[in-house]
Amino acid sequence: MDLFLHYLSMPYLIQGMSFTLAATGIGLAGGVVVGLLLAALQLSRHKPLAAIARGYAVIFRGTPLVLQMIFFYNALPHVGIKLPGLLAAGMALAFNEATFIAEMFRSGVVGVDRGQVLAGQALGMTPRVLMRRIVAPQALRAMIPAMGNETVSTLKNSSLASVIAVQELTLRSSQLASSTFDFFPVFFASGLLYLVLTGAISLAQLAIEARFDLDRPSTRRGLARWLPWRQAAPAGLSLLPAPGVALRTASEPEPESEKAALADAAPAAVDRMARAARLAAAPVALRVNGVSKAYGPQAVLDDLSLTVQAGEVVALLGPSGSGKSTLLRCINHLESWDAGQIHVGGHRLGYRPDGQLMSPSDLARERARLGVGMLFQQFNLFAHLTARENVAGPLRWVHGWSADDADQRALALLNKVGLGHRVDALPRHLSGGQQQRVAIARALAPGPSVLLLDEPTSALDPELVNEVLEVIRRLAVEEGLTMVISTHQLRFAAEVADRVVFLSGGRVVESGPALEVLQHPQAPALARFLRVMAADTLPSAPLPAKE
């Protein structure tokens, strides 16, 4: 034991351990830099760049690390590049590890739910903001365990540097054992030193995982202040409404349940004829003119035209595959189309004045400027952000709001949809109905001129459908928003919509006032559709107000 402790504390081995750490540090730092570049190339839309990255991976994953170290140390001098042994070993480790780190980066980015990317685009986030605020934080969190494993692997692979005479821990252990013939005590001490290093890496990995744990109570201390999803509310923030948003006052009794909160603002009856007259005089908010869209040989939209007045609520009906969702995504330019034009507020969204397509960054800014909000079937909340941050974050990142104003707006809207008590909950801790209500608040936050709703209740359990429909009904009644809603809820369409548009085969088959179209369909296809959906009985009572 004394001999083992003597070797364990020997400066000769400790110095070897410092060489091991230096080679590992160079390898990891360089591997991260080169790996990021390779991942960016592989994710690029330009195929030649992606091919270069894949060719690099084939070379460095297909040859032994020992040969790569010999190449950097012995071959580079032939072209005038002479590297010290430690730097040559570190560079070989870096270029070798880069291929694996690149795959970790790429898998982390690809693993982020595509719906969250679409939601960010719909909110007007540029590709840079989307990567920084939505994709990278989630990808990096997913990478932490793999990165810890790769760090341990790099540390152990540094022992191969002995082939080019780098005095790292393994080489010094071999030299010491050869001179003293105390093989077991020397290599036992060497192995324990490696265990100490790898154990420290494992502890660091656990500490980082704990710090990045989304369920950990929010704090502004230490690393947390740098995390984009750890935006604590400013001290003293009150639940004050943003301009134009009404909230329950402190003197009013708190509702017994969320249902009570949602039922507070029961709509009053309205004269539909008077409303129709007002809408007829309103300016055009949205114009779709002869839009066609096909996926290969399959036509999804076929010369479709539609005009929506400011403040009008239009319900899109039609069987699955009729083009409803595709139309909404084309309006927001989340999908391109083959022919036709779409104008929002008189502007041709997605195109420059010379008729050329905008760049992705310019298109994102145009979406934000024109204010085309969108609500998705699958909610598409940002999984790493709380309900408050899902609403407030885009206001700061896209529209330049201050943190205080964005939080005020978020709290006001979350209270309005009955979720004031869940503002700091992560999406996975919310029910489907609650998640969709957060998504509604997020879509409303920047004050959109047009709100697109793509089957907002299709992913909900039946018992949650009514609570979401009630929120949308209140918005149509109180806010006077221009809405285009794709839905199969006939009762809801009859109560809320000013006009029903029935699509089939990518065409508008019938369009007209909601009750008239639903109660007296003219097109045989619509009549068949209504018979199939007959379980959703149409109302006969007076309909709610839209003002």
Side-chain angles (χ1 to χ4, degrees):
M1 179 59 69
D2 291 340
L3 190 58
F4 162 70
L5 293 176
H6 167 70
Y7 287 125
L8 186 63
S9 59
M10 181 176 286
Y12 186 72
L13 290 184
I14 301 299
Q15 290 172 1
M17 187 170 69
S18 68
F19 279 106
T20 293
L21 287 174
T24 302
I26 295 171
L28 275 179
V32 168
V33 172
V34 179
L36 274 172
L37 177 60
L38 290 174
L41 292 177
Q42 290 193 52
L43 293 169
S44 171
R45 292 175 295 173
H46 303 290
K47 292 184 179 180
L49 296 179
I52 291 172
R54 293 191 182 96
Y56 177 101
V58 168
I59 293 172
F60 280 88
R61 283 194 299 196
T63 55
L65 178 58
V66 171
L67 294 181
Q68 294 168 21
M69 289 190 174
I70 293 172
F71 173 83
F72 276 93
Y73 187 67
N74 296 109
L76 289 183
H78 292 287
V79 294
I81 303 175
K82 178 66 176 177
L83 299 176
L86 179 60
L87 183 56
M91 287 188 64
L93 280 170
F95 280 85
N96 183 272
E97 293 298 326
T99 59
F100 304 100
I101 294 175
E103 286 303 303
M104 287 191 293
F105 280 126
R106 190 175 70 87
S107 63
V109 169
V110 172
V112 175
D113 181 50
R114 174 65 178 165
Q116 296 183 47
V117 176
L118 288 174
Q121 292 173 341
L123 289 164
M125 295 185 192
T126 63
R128 180 176 296 181
V129 171
L130 196 56
M131 177 59 70
R132 180 186 173 196
R133 296 295 187 175
I134 306 303
V135 176
Q138 297 184 69
L140 291 175
R141 284 183 58 250
M143 282 178 54
I144 292 172
M147 196 64 194
N149 184 67
E150 201 62 30
T151 302
V152 171
S153 176
T154 305
L155 177 70
K156 294 192 295 183
N157 285 339
S158 67
S159 64
L160 297 176
S162 59
V163 74
I164 54 175
V166 175
Q167 293 289 312
E168 47 74 47
L169 182 57
T170 302
L171 180 58
R172 291 206 166 190
S173 299
S174 299
Q175 292 171 340
L176 189 61
S178 298
S179 62
T180 62
F181 295 101
D182 293 326
F183 287 94
F184 180 75
V186 170
F187 282 106
F188 190 26
S190 174
L192 186 58
L193 290 176
Y194 271 111
L195 281 176
V196 169
L197 293 178
T198 55
I201 293 172
S202 298
L203 290 175
Q205 175 188 329
L206 292 175
I208 293 172
E209 287 180 3
R211 178 62 71 179
F212 278 68
D213 184 3
L214 297 180
D215 292 315
R216 178 178 175 147
S218 181
T219 175
R220 300 291 287 180
R221 296 189 300 274
L223 180 64
R225 68 180 185 274
W226 302 107
L227 304 183
W229 54 86
R230 286 296 185 194
Q231 298 286 345
L237 184 64
S238 61
L239 299 182
L240 296 177
V245 178
L247 290 182
R248 183 183 308 280
T249 63
S251 61
E252 292 176 314
E254 184 162 342
E256 295 180 358
S257 67
E258 291 181 20
K259 287 185 178 179
L262 294 176
D264 261 358
V270 66
D271 186 338
R272 280 184 174 257
M273 293 181 65
R275 175 172 171 79
R278 289 196 301 272
L279 289 175
V284 174
L286 170 66
R287 188 184 302 277
V288 179
N289 186 23
V291 168
S292 296
K293 166 76 176 177
Y295 295 105
Q298 179 64 42
V300 182
L301 300 177
D302 185 8
D303 194 27
L304 187 147
S305 295
L306 175 68
T307 300
V308 181
Q309 309 299 125
E312 186 178 16
V313 178
V314 174
L316 299 179
L317 299 182
S320 298
S322 60
K324 303 186 301 296
S325 296
T326 301
L327 174 60
L328 294 181
R329 289 157 65 94
C330 286
I331 291 172
N332 210 11
H333 214 123
L334 294 175
E335 290 272 7
S336 59
W337 55 94
D338 305 323
Q341 295 185 359
I342 296 175
H343 291 80
V344 178
H347 296 272
R348 193 180 177 198
L349 177 60
Y351 290 86
R352 303 199 306 256
D354 61 3
Q356 298 297 312
L357 278 170
M358 289 181 171
S359 67
S361 295
D362 289 339
L363 175 57
R365 297 185 187 97
E366 184 79 350
R367 285 195 192 100
R369 186 179 70 83
L370 294 180
V372 185
M374 189 156 186
L375 198 65
F376 296 88
Q377 296 182 33
Q378 302 296 331
F379 325 134
N380 292 353
L381 296 181
F382 305 131
H384 61 303
L385 301 179
T386 63
R388 182 209 307 264
E389 275 299 295
N390 261 279
V391 180
L395 294 177
R396 296 196 310 270
W397 309 327
V398 176
H399 301 277
W401 288 39
S402 69
D404 284 351
D405 289 344
D407 276 320
Q408 296 278 8
R409 178 67 167 166
L411 290 169
L413 287 169
L414 289 171
N415 270 275
K416 190 175 184 66
V417 299
L419 288 177
H421 63 300
R422 300 289 282 159
V423 296
D424 292 318
L426 291 167
R428 66 173 176 267
H429 297 152
L430 299 172
S431 70
Q434 290 173 330
Q435 290 186 56
Q436 192 63 295
R437 283 189 270 152
V438 173
I440 291 172
R442 183 179 66 182
L444 289 177
S449 60
V450 176
L451 185 60
L452 310 174
L453 300 94
D454 184 11
E455 294 284 1
T457 60
S458 65
L460 299 176
D461 293 333
E463 63 270 20
L464 301 176
V465 169
N466 285 336
E467 71 179 47
V468 172
L469 292 181
E470 178 61 27
V471 172
I472 298 172
R473 180 183 288 109
R474 288 175 54 194
L475 293 175
V477 170
E478 299 171 5
E479 303 295 332
L481 286 174
T482 304
M483 292 186 183
V484 182
I485 309 173
S486 167
T487 182
H488 284 97
Q489 300 288 334
L490 301 186
R491 172 179 287 275
F492 173 74
E495 291 177 347
V496 175
D498 299 294
R499 182 156 52 104
V500 162
V501 176
F502 179 72
L503 302 184
S504 181
R507 288 176 171 269
V508 175
V509 174
E510 187 168 346
S511 174
L515 277 185
E516 181 180 331
V517 169
L518 292 174
Q519 293 178 344
H520 306 289
Q522 300 299 311
L526 175 56
R528 288 194 299 271
F529 177 81
L530 294 178
R531 283 197 298 271
V532 171
M533 304 296 293
D536 192 357
T537 308
L538 299 180
S540 58
L543 301 175
K546 304 291 193 305
E547 55 187 14

